[in-house]
Amino acid sequence: MSSSIKVLITGAAGQIAYSLIPIVARGDVFGKNQPVTLILLDIPQMSTVLDGVVMEIMDCAFPLLHEIIPTTDEATAFKDIDVAFLVGSMPRREGMERKDLLAANVKIFASQGKALAAHSSPDVKVLVVGNPANTNALICSKFAAPKIPPENFTAMTRLDQNRASAQVAAKHKVAVKDVQNVIIWGNHSSTQFPDVSNAVCNGTKLPFTKHDPDMISLVQKRGAAVIAARKLSSAMSAAKAAADHMHDWWNGTGSSYVSMGVMSDGTHYGAPKDVIFSFPCTVCPKSKQWKIVDGLALDDFAKDKLRITGQELEEERKEALSATTGQL
């Protein structure tokens, strides 16, 4: 068996982590022969809950689990890790404006970026799940620079891709496992653009005549619909998406492509520079490096949607960076 890899999960006492931890521990992300050490970080107020999570993990008796390290200390949590799932973030509360949410999360992700720079290796793979994920990932990467390159930071839009893929499968009456190349463009927010124009089923292109505004709206608002029905935000589906994202980043994507929020250099599909923008990506399994898929056709409808979500990301960047003035 391979030597253990060190996997950090923040917000470890929360709902998403509760579903994510067993997926990672049983080998569904990094491989059935890959031992893992789980480092579980949460705030001091959640330490008793975290103790209970550790008890449950132990009681599961996962064969691949080498060690569990629960902590409320960032220096301990980020020490020599190979992978980070940054799940914990400040949730949006009633009456809170988006700019207030950004300002609160800047402090969290700036601190974690500094901790990555101080304690982690330059090769660490960082997936930001906590919302607003794209801009949180951008801020984290800024504070981890220059030690850790920006391409090592990604934001999760896989949940949106999974949601859209499920809708495509239901519409065409095919198995969701056979649907590939559904794309989420832009921000993980209500401005995201779910694009099914390139979707295939078992390698065969699915019929497409025009974009479906109802399906787009359904995916954009799915998180709010879950909250309205469940009275809690998406957890099980978010954990599955985080695992899917990291699995493909670690093991490669094969012949299909997947949606990943990655750093934009301003040369792809008109997306603005220096934002974390969701693109269709492929990943080489040997290098574990993502690459944006180029050459896909965009009609005027799609171009307009990309412009809108790109503008939102630029506005978020401006607000987030203004909250870090003097810290970078």
Side-chain angles (χ1 to χ4, degrees):
M1 294 181 74
S2 306
S3 59
S4 176
I5 59 172
K6 297 183 74 174
V7 180
L8 167 64
I9 299 176
T10 71
Q15 285 194 92
I16 295 174
Y18 193 77
S19 291
L20 176 60
I21 287 166
I23 301 176
V24 173
R26 67 175 175 246
D28 290 350
V29 177
F30 302 104
K32 297 296 185 181
N33 293 308
Q34 176 60 66
V36 295
T37 294
L38 283 179
I39 302 96
L40 307 177
L41 175 66
D42 217 311
I43 57 177
Q45 298 93 308
M46 297 298 290
S47 59
T48 300
V49 178
L50 188 57
D51 289 341
V53 172
V54 171
M55 291 181 213
E56 286 213 75
I57 297 169
M58 291 180 65
D59 293 348
C60 286
F62 292 110
L64 291 173
L65 185 55
H66 175 72
E67 187 180 3
I68 313 166
I69 303 173
T71 184
T72 59
D73 175 62
E74 283 187 347
T76 300
F78 286 90
K79 179 69 173 175
D80 298 330
I81 56 171
D82 299 293
V83 172
F85 291 89
L86 303 188
V87 178
S89 65
M90 173 73 73
R92 191 168 184 171
R93 298 192 177 97
E94 188 175 355
M96 196 181 229
E97 297 293 332
R98 190 171 180 86
K99 64 180 180 180
D100 299 324
L101 183 66
L102 280 166
N105 278 296
V106 158
K107 298 174 184 177
I108 296 171
F109 287 88
S111 178
Q112 292 183 351
K114 292 175 183 177
L116 282 160
H119 305 292
S120 303
S121 83
D123 296 327
V124 64
K125 302 289 184 286
V126 182
L127 168 59
V128 176
V129 176
N131 286 318
N134 297 57
T135 301
N136 286 344
L138 178 71
I139 292 300
C140 198
S141 72
K142 296 289 186 187
F143 280 87
K147 179 180 177 181
I148 302 173
E151 57 266 26
N152 285 30
F153 291 84
T154 64
M156 187 178 83
T157 54
R158 186 60 172 267
L159 175 54
D160 308 299
Q161 179 189 311
N162 287 351
R163 287 166 170 165
S165 296
Q167 296 301 316
V168 169
K171 176 180 178 180
H172 294 282
K173 297 181 173 54
V174 297
V176 71
K177 68 180 179 62
D178 296 329
V179 174
Q180 294 93 31
N181 298 353
V182 172
I183 304 167
I184 303 298
W185 300 94
N187 199 5
H188 174 63
S189 75
S190 60
T191 69
Q192 65 173 261
F193 174 44
D195 178 10
V196 303
S197 63
N198 295 279
V200 299
C201 179
N202 281 327
T204 301
K205 194 172 186 310
L206 287 167
F208 176 82
T209 53
K210 62 179 181 178
H211 299 283
D212 181 353
D214 291 336
M215 191 280 291
I216 292 170
S217 179
L218 186 153
V219 175
Q220 289 174 335
K221 299 176 181 178
R222 188 66 159 190
V226 170
I227 292 172
R230 190 173 173 257
K231 312 307 177 189
L232 293 166
S233 59
S234 302
M236 177 176 25
S237 57
K240 166 64 164 51
D244 289 344
H245 178 121
M246 189 59 72
H247 173 275
D248 290 345
W249 195 1
W250 195 262
N251 299 288
T253 53
S255 59
S256 62
Y257 42 81
V258 297
S259 300
M260 300 173 69
V262 300
M263 185 64 77
S264 171
D265 64 4
T267 66
H268 302 274
Y269 299 104
K273 184 179 180 180
D274 197 33
V275 297
I276 300 288
F277 194 99
S278 183
F279 293 101
C281 295
T282 57
V283 181
C284 171
K286 183 174 288 188
S287 67
K288 295 179 172 44
Q289 293 181 345
W290 53 263
K291 181 180 179 182
I292 296 171
V293 176
D294 278 319
L296 299 178
L298 294 176
D299 58 20
D300 289 341
F301 181 93
K303 289 176 182 177
D304 188 54
K305 293 295 185 184
L306 266 65
R307 179 187 58 80
I308 292 169
T309 195
Q311 284 180 344
E312 181 183 58
L313 283 168
E314 288 182 304
E315 291 166 4
E316 286 188 7
R317 179 188 62 200
K318 182 179 179 181
E319 291 174 4
L321 290 176
S322 69
T324 65
T325 300
Q327 297 181 51
L328 281 169

